[in-house]
Amino acid sequence: MFYGELYFLPLAFSLMLIFCMGLICFNLYFHLNRKTYLYVGLSLIAAALPFGVIAIQSILQPITMATIGIKLLSTSLILIQGAMYYLFNRNSKKHRFIFTGIVLATGILSFVPHPMFYLIPYVFLIGGTVYGLIKLITDIPTQLTYKVSLLFLALTGITGAAALITELPTLMFLYSTFLFLMIVFCFLMLQVHITNRMISASFTSVVDPLTGLFNRRYFSKQVESQEDEEGISIIFCDIDNFKELNDTQGHKAGDEVLIKVANIVKEETNNLGLAARYGGEEIVAMIKTKNVNPVDVAQTICRRVEKETRVTVSVGVSVGENGLASYQLIDKADKKMYEAKTSGKNKVCA
C-alpha cells in the first residue's frame, strides 16, 4: 500500500487504532443507544479518511509533506481531539462549534496549492494545544492522559512544520511517530471512559442512590453466601412514624432523616459487616458476632438515632443458627423488629 518508507509505519498503526476506536464507539451506540457514541464514532471514521487518501496517493506518486493527504492529517488530529472532548462534555456547544470551525478551516486550507498556506495546519495544531491546556483541561476528568495527548499534538505540529520546511526523513518519521502517540493516548482516554462507565454501572446496581447503602438484592445475596458460617447476625431497623413524618413535614424531611439513620447504622456496623437499605424506611445490617454482641450494637444504634435525629427506630436482632437459611434469618429479625414496634417502639427485641 505504501512505498515502504519508515515514517509510514506509524501512520499505518494510527489508521488501525482509529478504526478500532470508531468500532468501539459504534458498538457502544448499538448497545446503549446513546447518540454521543454515534457522533464520536462517525468523527473517528471521518478522521481515518485522510489516511486512506495517503494510501491511494502513495500508489500514484511519491509522498511528501506537501501532499494533500499528509496536510489533511492535521484535520484528522483536531477531529479526534474534538471527538474525545465531546465524549466527556457533550453539552458544551461553544467548544463544539470551535472544533468544527477549526476542522473546516484546516480541511479547506489543505487543498490550497500555494506554499504560503502549507504551514497553517501545523500552526493550528500548536494553537489547539495551547487552547486545550488553557480552556479545556478542567472539563476532562482524565487530565493527565489529556495533557499527554496535547503534548504529542504540539510535537506533531512542530515536527510537521519542520519536516515541511527541511524535508528531512528523520523529522518526517518523528512527525508520524508523535501523531501515532497522540492517537494512542486518545485511545487510552476512550478506555478510561469505558472503564468508568462499567464501574459506575456496577456501583449503581448494588447501591441505594439515596442513602449510599447497599440495596436489598445485594444484601440478600451476601447473607445467603454466608448462611453456613457461624457468628452471623442480622439487625433489622425500622424508623418509627416515618409515614407521619413524610405526610406532615414533606418527603425532603423524610429523606434527610433516612440518610441520617442510614449513616448511623453504617458507622456502628463498620468493620463488623455491611449495612443496606432493605426497603422504604427499613435499614438492615449483617454483622459477624465473633467479638461483639449484636444486641449491644443494636442498642447503640437505637440510642444514637433518638439522640441525633428527630425520630426513633424499632430494632429486631436475629442470630444465625445451624440449619437456618438466609431468608429465615432475615425474616426472624424482621419479626423481632415488628415485636419491638408493637410493644412500644424505640427499643430492641432479640
Side-chain angles (χ1 to χ4, degrees):
M1 183 172 66
F2 299 127
Y3 272 169
E5 290 91 335
L6 185 61
Y7 52 85
F8 279 123
L9 288 177
L11 299 183
F13 292 136
S14 299
L15 176 61
M16 291 185 287
L17 203 54
I18 295 170
F19 265 118
C20 286
M21 293 168 67
L23 292 175
I24 290 171
C25 289
F26 286 136
N27 186 53
L28 289 171
Y29 169 70
F30 289 130
H31 283 84
L32 301 177
N33 197 29
R34 287 186 57 188
K35 289 185 178 180
T36 299
Y37 296 117
L38 176 63
Y39 298 149
V40 173
L42 290 173
S43 298
L44 291 170
I45 296 302
L49 293 179
F51 293 88
V53 172
I54 294 172
I56 296 173
Q57 288 184 321
S58 67
I59 297 173
L60 302 175
Q61 63 185 48
I63 299 296
T64 67
M65 292 299 293
T67 304
I68 291 178
I70 293 292
K71 291 189 289 182
L72 280 173
L73 290 181
S74 297
T75 307
S76 293
L77 297 187
I78 295 171
L79 196 56
I80 293 170
Q81 284 285 341
M84 290 299 101
Y85 180 81
Y86 180 67
L87 184 67
F88 289 98
N89 295 276
R90 60 183 182 276
N91 296 322
S92 180
K93 292 183 179 180
K94 174 185 174 183
H95 292 130
R96 192 169 21 182
F97 287 136
I98 291 174
F99 274 115
T100 303
I102 295 175
V103 167
L104 291 174
T106 53
I108 293 171
L109 289 172
S110 298
F111 288 96
V112 178
H114 199 284
M116 68 176 292
F117 291 99
Y118 289 174
L119 284 173
I120 294 179
Y122 304 108
V123 174
F124 277 147
L125 293 183
I126 301 170
T129 301
V130 176
Y131 183 79
L133 289 173
I134 295 174
K135 292 290 186 179
L136 308 183
I137 192 67
T138 55
D139 297 333
I140 304 293
T142 55
Q143 289 192 9
L144 178 60
T145 309
Y146 186 60
K147 284 180 180 178
V148 176
S149 75
L150 288 176
L151 170 65
F152 285 121
L153 181 67
L155 291 173
T156 302
I158 294 169
T159 53
L164 177 67
I165 295 171
T166 64
E167 295 189 1
L168 290 175
T170 302
L171 288 175
M172 297 172 74
F173 175 72
L174 287 175
Y175 163 77
S176 60
T177 301
F178 289 141
L179 180 151
F180 170 67
L181 290 174
M182 192 222 78
I183 296 173
V184 167
F185 278 89
C186 287
F187 180 79
L188 291 177
M189 289 173 64
L190 177 61
Q191 297 308 305
V192 169
H193 172 78
I194 295 172
T195 302
N196 289 340
R197 279 196 60 88
M198 292 174 62
I199 293 173
S200 177
S202 176
F203 182 77
T204 54
S205 68
V206 299
V207 172
D208 174 63
L210 176 63
T211 62
L213 300 180
F214 291 112
N215 58 28
R216 177 174 180 168
R217 180 182 178 186
Y218 180 80
F219 179 80
S220 298
K221 285 185 176 181
Q222 292 301 306
V223 176
E224 183 180 359
S225 69
Q226 301 189 47
E227 65 182 7
D228 295 328
E229 295 187 18
E230 296 182 358
I232 298 297
S233 292
I234 301 296
I235 297 175
F236 203 116
C237 307
D238 187 276
I239 300 174
D240 298 326
N241 306 315
F242 188 73
K243 185 179 184 303
E244 181 181 342
L245 176 68
N246 274 332
D247 292 341
T248 59
Q249 301 187 39
H251 289 281
K252 182 178 180 181
D255 288 347
E256 290 174 355
V257 165
L258 192 56
I259 292 170
K260 288 180 181 178
V261 173
N263 288 336
I264 290 172
V265 175
K266 185 176 181 179
E267 289 169 8
E268 292 301 324
T269 58
N270 191 30
N271 298 324
L272 298 176
L274 62 90
R277 184 183 181 188
Y278 202 68
E281 66 270 27
E282 298 170 336
I283 306 294
V284 295
M286 175 186 69
I287 63 173
K288 297 182 179 181
T289 55
K290 184 176 181 180
N291 298 315
V292 68
N293 186 337
V295 176
D296 292 341
V297 176
Q299 288 176 339
T300 301
I301 291 171
C302 196
R303 288 194 299 268
R304 281 194 60 187
V305 170
E306 182 181 18
K307 180 179 179 181
E308 299 175 21
T309 73
R310 66 180 79 179
V311 297
T312 59
V313 290
S314 297
V315 186
V317 179
S318 64
V319 180
E321 302 173 3
N322 290 332
L324 195 64
S326 60
Y327 73 91
Q328 293 174 316
L329 184 62
I330 297 173
D331 185 60
K332 183 178 178 181
D334 187 11
K335 289 178 178 177
K336 288 295 182 181
M337 179 276 296
Y338 183 75
E339 180 182 330
K341 189 170 287 290
T342 55
S343 61
K345 301 179 180 178
N346 191 25
K347 62 194 302 186
V348 177
C349 287

